[in-house]
Amino acid sequence: LREMKSLTMAKREVKAAKNDLIQTAERDHEERMDKWSTVVRIFNEHSQALYKSPGKLIIDVGDTGYKYQVDIERSGSEGIERMKIFCFDLAVLQFQMQSRRGIDFLIHDTLMYDSVDARQRALAFERAQEVTAALGGQYICTINSDMVPAADFTDGFDFQKYVRLTLSDASPSERLLGIRFERPSK
């Protein structure tokens, strides 16, 4: 009986603590509205640049803490899901750089662009270059050469101008750290 009373009391304390945390998060959410609304606006601009209609980034507080919901028209395809991440990452980078704190670079690898339509890939590279050049940042991307959407870039955008390193298996000097990486055989 004592253990049941103790357990009941502990449950009440946990519930009260959880409610206090939710209230704290809601106050914080409200107090930082100007900051997160800026990130939402920036996200919408980036998604509109890629898809001609703005996406929606929703930042809210729920029972388990902050909740982030991202929506872009025609969502559901793996490529658009990847571009949601791209737009979110670029929005956070841009916000950090505009506030003069935090990071000034963004890194993505080829998986970010896997299953993304070539036109969206081209627009994403151009958008990343535009944002980082305007703010003095850097966009770093490792991508396989066969995934570079050369035919889809806007006239005047010279992708090769931004390439800093090209790796290949042709010789040890062209390999990452001079090492040839082999796939393990099955």
Side-chain angles (χ1 to χ4, degrees):
L1 194 57
R2 251 184 276 135
E3 285 183 29
M4 282 186 62
K5 283 182 181 181
S6 177
L7 185 59
T8 301
M9 185 65 90
K11 281 183 179 180
R12 283 188 194 133
E13 289 172 2
V14 167
K15 188 174 183 178
K18 181 179 177 183
N19 287 335
D20 286 346
L21 287 173
I22 290 171
Q23 288 175 355
T24 300
E26 287 172 345
R27 273 192 307 276
D28 182 64
H29 181 262
E30 199 61 34
E31 290 170 2
R32 296 176 190 245
M33 182 184 291
D34 61 324
K35 290 180 179 159
W36 61 257
S37 63
T38 300
V39 174
V40 167
R41 180 187 49 76
I42 294 168
F43 173 87
N44 292 347
E45 290 170 2
H46 295 324
S47 61
Q48 185 166 10
L50 299 183
Y51 293 101
K52 305 300 180 223
S53 62
K56 295 178 193 116
L57 170 62
I58 301 165
I59 303 171
D60 205 358
V61 178
D63 288 346
T64 58
Y66 282 99
K67 293 180 356 181
Y68 300 89
Q69 181 181 342
V70 178
D71 190 30
I72 292 179
E73 263 185 46
R74 301 179 313 246
S75 285
S77 77
E78 191 174 335
I80 292 175
E81 295 302 312
R82 300 279 171 95
M83 289 296 91
K84 286 179 182 180
I85 296 168
F86 171 85
C87 290
F88 181 82
D89 289 351
L90 194 59
V92 170
L93 173 70
Q94 185 173 346
F95 178 78
Q96 290 289 312
M97 290 181 68
Q98 287 172 338
S99 7
R100 304 260 186 249
R101 62 175 193 256
I103 56 174
D104 62 355
F105 66 93
L106 176 60
I107 301 174
H108 286 141
D109 71 356
T110 195
L111 290 177
M112 176 60 69
Y113 296 100
D114 189 34
S115 70
V116 173
D117 179 81
R119 290 169 299 171
Q120 268 60 48
R121 255 184 279 145
L123 290 170
F125 286 134
E126 291 179 24
R127 188 69 180 183
Q129 188 281 325
E130 177 186 330
V131 168
T132 55
L135 297 170
Q138 188 175 29
Y139 181 67
I140 302 167
C141 180
T142 60
I143 189 161
N144 296 335
S145 58
D146 62 337
M147 290 185 65
V148 174
D152 294 294
F153 288 122
T154 306
D155 288 339
F157 184 79
D158 182 10
F159 181 80
Q160 289 303 317
K161 176 180 171 183
Y162 304 104
V163 173
R164 296 294 175 253
L165 177 65
T166 302
L167 301 173
S168 79
D169 286 338
S171 70
S173 65
E174 294 176 330
R175 297 179 191 147
L176 181 62
L177 305 174
I179 301 169
R180 180 177 176 89
F181 295 92
E182 299 287 339
R183 286 187 181 194
S185 58
K186 293 183 179 183

